[in-house]
Coordinates of all heavy atoms in Angstrom, one line a residue:
G4 N -94.6 54.9 88.9 CA -95.9 54.2 88.6 C -95.7 52.8 88.1 O -96.7 52.1 88.0
K5 N -94.5 52.4 87.6 CA -94.3 51.1 87.1 C -95.4 50.7 86.1 O -96.3 49.9 86.3 CB -94.3 50.0 88.2 CG -93.2 50.2 89.2 CD -91.8 50.1 88.6 CE -90.7 50.1 89.6 NZ -90.6 51.4 90.3
R6 N -95.4 51.4 84.9 CA -96.3 51.1 83.8 C -96.4 49.7 83.5 O -95.4 49.0 83.5 CB -95.9 51.9 82.6 CG -96.2 53.4 82.6 CD -95.7 54.1 81.4 NE -94.2 54.1 81.3 CZ -93.5 55.0 80.7 NH1 -94.1 56.0 80.1 NH2 -92.2 54.9 80.7
P7 N -97.6 49.2 83.2 CA -97.8 47.8 82.9 C -97.1 47.5 81.5 O -96.9 48.4 80.7 CB -99.3 47.6 82.8 CG -99.9 49.0 82.5 CD -98.9 49.9 83.2
A8 N -96.7 46.3 81.3 CA -96.2 45.9 80.0 C -97.2 46.2 78.9 O -98.4 46.0 79.1 CB -95.8 44.4 80.0
E9 N -96.6 46.5 77.7 CA -97.5 46.9 76.6 C -97.3 45.8 75.5 O -96.4 45.0 75.5 CB -97.1 48.2 76.1 CG -97.2 49.4 77.1 CD -97.0 50.7 76.5 OE1 -97.6 51.0 75.4 OE2 -96.2 51.5 77.1
D10 N -98.3 45.8 74.6 CA -98.2 44.9 73.5 C -97.0 45.2 72.7 O -96.6 46.3 72.4 CB -99.5 45.1 72.6 CG -99.6 44.0 71.5 OD1 -98.7 43.9 70.7 OD2 -100.6 43.3 71.6
A11 N -96.3 44.1 72.3 CA -95.0 44.3 71.6 C -95.2 45.0 70.2 O -94.2 45.4 69.6 CB -94.4 42.9 71.3
A12 N -96.4 45.1 69.7 CA -96.7 45.8 68.5 C -96.2 47.3 68.6 O -95.9 48.0 67.6 CB -98.1 45.8 68.1
R13 N -96.1 47.8 69.9 CA -95.6 49.2 70.1 C -94.2 49.3 69.7 O -93.7 50.4 69.4 CB -95.7 49.5 71.6 CG -97.1 50.0 72.1 CD -97.5 51.3 71.5 NE -96.6 52.4 71.7 CZ -96.3 53.1 72.8 NH1 -97.0 52.8 73.9 NH2 -95.4 54.0 72.8
L14 N -93.5 48.2 69.6 CA -92.1 48.3 69.2 C -92.0 48.8 67.8 O -91.0 49.5 67.5 CB -91.4 46.9 69.3 CG -90.0 46.8 68.9 CD1 -89.1 47.7 69.7 CD2 -89.5 45.4 69.0
E15 N -93.0 48.5 67.0 CA -93.0 49.1 65.6 C -92.9 50.6 65.6 O -92.2 51.2 64.8 CB -94.2 48.5 64.9 CG -94.1 48.5 63.4 CD -93.2 47.3 62.9 OE1 -93.0 46.4 63.7 OE2 -92.7 47.5 61.8
D16 N -93.8 51.2 66.4 CA -93.8 52.7 66.5 C -92.5 53.2 67.0 O -92.0 54.2 66.5 CB -94.9 53.1 67.4 CG -96.3 52.7 67.0 OD1 -96.5 52.6 65.7 OD2 -97.2 52.5 67.8
V17 N -91.9 52.6 68.0 CA -90.7 53.0 68.6 C -89.6 52.9 67.5 O -88.8 53.8 67.3 CB -90.3 52.2 69.8 CG1 -88.9 52.6 70.4 CG2 -91.4 52.4 70.9
A18 N -89.5 51.8 66.8 CA -88.5 51.5 65.9 C -88.6 52.5 64.7 O -87.5 53.0 64.2 CB -88.5 50.1 65.3
R19 N -89.8 52.8 64.3 CA -89.9 53.8 63.1 C -89.6 55.2 63.6 O -89.0 55.9 62.8 CB -91.4 53.7 62.6 CG -91.7 52.4 61.9 CD -93.0 52.5 61.1 NE -93.2 51.2 60.4 CZ -92.6 50.9 59.3 NH1 -91.8 51.7 58.7 NH2 -92.8 49.7 58.7
A20 N -89.9 55.5 64.8 CA -89.5 56.9 65.3 C -88.0 57.0 65.3 O -87.4 58.0 64.9 CB -90.1 57.1 66.6
F21 N -87.3 56.0 65.8 CA -85.8 56.1 65.9 C -85.2 55.9 64.6 O -84.1 56.4 64.3 CB -85.3 55.1 67.0 CG -85.3 55.6 68.3 CD1 -86.5 55.6 69.1 CD2 -84.2 56.3 68.9 CE1 -86.5 56.1 70.4 CE2 -84.3 56.9 70.1 CZ -85.4 56.8 70.9
A22 N -85.8 55.2 63.6 CA -85.3 55.1 62.3 C -85.3 56.5 61.7 O -84.3 56.9 61.0 CB -86.2 54.2 61.4
D23 N -86.3 57.3 61.9 CA -86.4 58.6 61.3 C -85.4 59.6 62.1 O -84.8 60.5 61.5 CB -87.8 59.2 61.4 CG -88.7 58.5 60.4 OD1 -88.2 57.8 59.5 OD2 -89.9 58.7 60.5
F24 N -85.2 59.4 63.4 CA -84.2 60.1 64.2 C -82.9 59.9 63.5 O -82.1 60.9 63.3 CB -84.2 59.6 65.6 CG -82.9 59.8 66.3 CD1 -82.6 61.0 66.9 CD2 -82.1 58.7 66.5 CE1 -81.4 61.2 67.6 CE2 -80.9 58.9 67.2 CZ -80.6 60.1 67.8
V25 N -82.5 58.7 63.1 CA -81.2 58.4 62.5 C -81.1 59.1 61.1 O -80.1 59.8 60.8 CB -81.0 56.9 62.4 CG1 -79.8 56.6 61.5 CG2 -80.8 56.3 63.8
D26 N -82.2 58.9 60.3 CA -82.1 59.3 58.9 C -82.1 60.9 58.7 O -81.7 61.4 57.7 CB -83.3 58.7 58.1 CG -83.1 57.2 58.0 OD1 -82.0 56.7 58.3 OD2 -84.1 56.6 57.5
L27 N -82.5 61.6 59.8 CA -82.4 63.1 59.7 C -81.0 63.5 59.8 O -80.7 64.7 59.5 CB -83.2 63.7 60.9 CG -84.7 63.8 60.7 CD1 -85.4 64.2 62.0 CD2 -85.1 64.8 59.6
K28 N -80.1 62.7 60.1 CA -78.7 63.0 60.3 C -78.1 63.6 59.0 O -77.2 64.5 59.1 CB -77.9 61.7 60.7 CG -76.4 61.9 60.8 CD -76.0 62.4 62.1 CE -74.5 62.3 62.3 NZ -74.0 63.2 63.4
S29 N -78.6 63.2 57.9 CA -78.0 63.7 56.6 C -79.2 63.8 55.6 O -80.0 62.9 55.5 CB -76.9 62.8 56.1 OG -76.6 63.1 54.7
P30 N -79.2 64.8 54.7 CA -80.2 64.9 53.7 C -80.1 63.7 52.7 O -81.1 63.4 52.1 CB -79.9 66.2 53.0 CG -79.1 67.0 53.9 CD -78.3 66.0 54.8
Y31 N -78.9 63.1 52.7 CA -78.8 61.9 51.7 C -79.4 60.6 52.2 O -79.6 59.7 51.5 CB -77.3 61.7 51.5 CG -76.6 62.8 50.7 CD1 -75.8 63.8 51.4 CD2 -76.7 62.9 49.3 CE1 -75.2 64.8 50.7 CE2 -76.1 63.9 48.6 CZ -75.4 64.9 49.3 OH -74.8 65.9 48.6
T32 N -79.7 60.6 53.5 CA -80.3 59.3 54.1 C -81.7 59.4 54.5 O -82.3 58.5 55.1 CB -79.5 58.9 55.3 OG1 -79.4 59.9 56.3 CG2 -78.0 58.5 54.9
L33 N -82.4 60.5 54.1 CA -83.8 60.6 54.5 C -84.6 59.5 53.9 O -84.6 59.2 52.7 CB -84.4 62.0 54.0 CG -83.8 63.3 54.6 CD1 -84.5 64.5 53.9 CD2 -84.0 63.3 56.1
G34 N -85.3 58.7 54.8 CA -86.1 57.6 54.4 C -85.3 56.3 54.2 O -86.0 55.3 53.8
H35 N -84.0 56.4 54.4 CA -83.2 55.2 54.1 C -83.6 54.0 55.0 O -83.9 52.9 54.4 CB -81.7 55.5 54.3 CG -80.9 54.3 54.2 ND1 -80.6 53.7 52.9 CD2 -80.2 53.5 55.1 CE1 -79.8 52.6 53.1 NE2 -79.6 52.5 54.4
S36 N -83.7 54.2 56.3 CA -84.0 53.0 57.2 C -85.4 52.4 56.9 O -85.5 51.2 56.9 CB -83.9 53.5 58.6 OG -82.6 53.9 58.9
S37 N -86.4 53.2 56.7 CA -87.7 52.7 56.5 C -87.7 52.0 55.1 O -88.4 51.0 54.9 CB -88.8 53.8 56.6 OG -88.5 54.8 55.7
G38 N -87.0 52.5 54.2 CA -86.9 51.9 52.8 C -86.2 50.5 52.9 O -86.7 49.5 52.3
V39 N -85.1 50.4 53.6 CA -84.4 49.2 53.8 C -85.3 48.2 54.5 O -85.4 47.0 54.2 CB -83.1 49.4 54.6 CG1 -82.5 48.0 55.0 CG2 -82.1 50.2 53.7
A40 N -86.0 48.6 55.5 CA -86.9 47.8 56.3 C -88.0 47.1 55.4 O -88.2 45.9 55.5 CB -87.6 48.5 57.5
A41 N -88.7 48.0 54.6 CA -89.7 47.4 53.8 C -89.1 46.5 52.7 O -89.7 45.4 52.5 CB -90.4 48.6 53.1
L42 N -88.0 46.8 52.2 CA -87.4 45.9 51.2 C -86.9 44.6 51.8 O -87.1 43.5 51.2 CB -86.2 46.6 50.5 CG -85.5 45.9 49.4 CD1 -86.5 45.5 48.3 CD2 -84.4 46.7 48.8
A43 N -86.3 44.7 53.0 CA -85.8 43.5 53.6 C -87.0 42.5 54.0 O -86.9 41.3 53.8 CB -85.0 43.8 54.9
E44 N -88.1 43.1 54.5 CA -89.2 42.3 54.8 C -89.8 41.6 53.6 O -90.1 40.4 53.6 CB -90.3 43.1 55.5 CG -91.6 42.4 55.8 CD -92.7 43.3 56.4 OE1 -92.7 44.5 56.1 OE2 -93.6 42.7 57.1
A45 N -90.0 42.4 52.5 CA -90.5 41.8 51.3 C -89.6 40.7 50.7 O -90.0 39.7 50.1 CB -90.7 42.9 50.3
S46 N -88.3 41.0 50.9 CA -87.3 40.0 50.4 C -87.3 38.7 51.2 O -87.1 37.6 50.6 CB -85.9 40.6 50.4 OG -85.8 41.8 49.7
G47 N -87.5 38.9 52.5 CA -87.7 37.7 53.3 C -88.8 36.8 52.8 O -88.7 35.6 52.8
R48 N -89.9 37.4 52.5 CA -91.1 36.7 52.0 C -90.8 36.1 50.6 O -91.2 34.9 50.4 CB -92.3 37.6 51.9 CG -92.8 38.1 53.3 CD -94.3 38.5 53.2 NE -94.8 38.7 54.5 CZ -94.7 39.9 55.2 NH1 -94.2 40.9 54.6 NH2 -95.2 40.0 56.4
A49 N -90.1 36.8 49.8 CA -89.7 36.3 48.5 C -88.8 35.1 48.6 O -88.8 34.2 47.8 CB -89.1 37.4 47.6
A50 N -88.0 35.0 49.7 CA -87.1 33.9 49.9 C -87.8 32.8 50.7 O -87.2 31.8 51.0 CB -85.9 34.4 50.7

């Protein structure tokens, strides 16, 4: 069907889903990727 291109904002949903896919690997890393993402973004603004 060759789906039409989608808004790049969808990348956010995809990235968050795969971040959680990774973090489920160990109980010690639950929420690590989303936490780093939020902190890195806020740090970029602070800089």
Side-chain angles (χ1 to χ4, degrees):
K5 299 297 187 294
R6 283 176 292 207
E9 302 187 46
D10 191 299
R13 280 292 309 280
L14 180 58
E15 204 74 22
D16 298 330
V17 176
R19 290 192 180 280
F21 274 86
D23 290 347
F24 155 78
V25 170
D26 291 350
L27 280 171
K28 175 82 170 165
S29 166
Y31 292 100
T32 56
L33 294 180
H35 174 75
S36 296
S37 56
V39 170
L42 181 57
E44 178 185 24
S46 303
R48 291 201 171 91

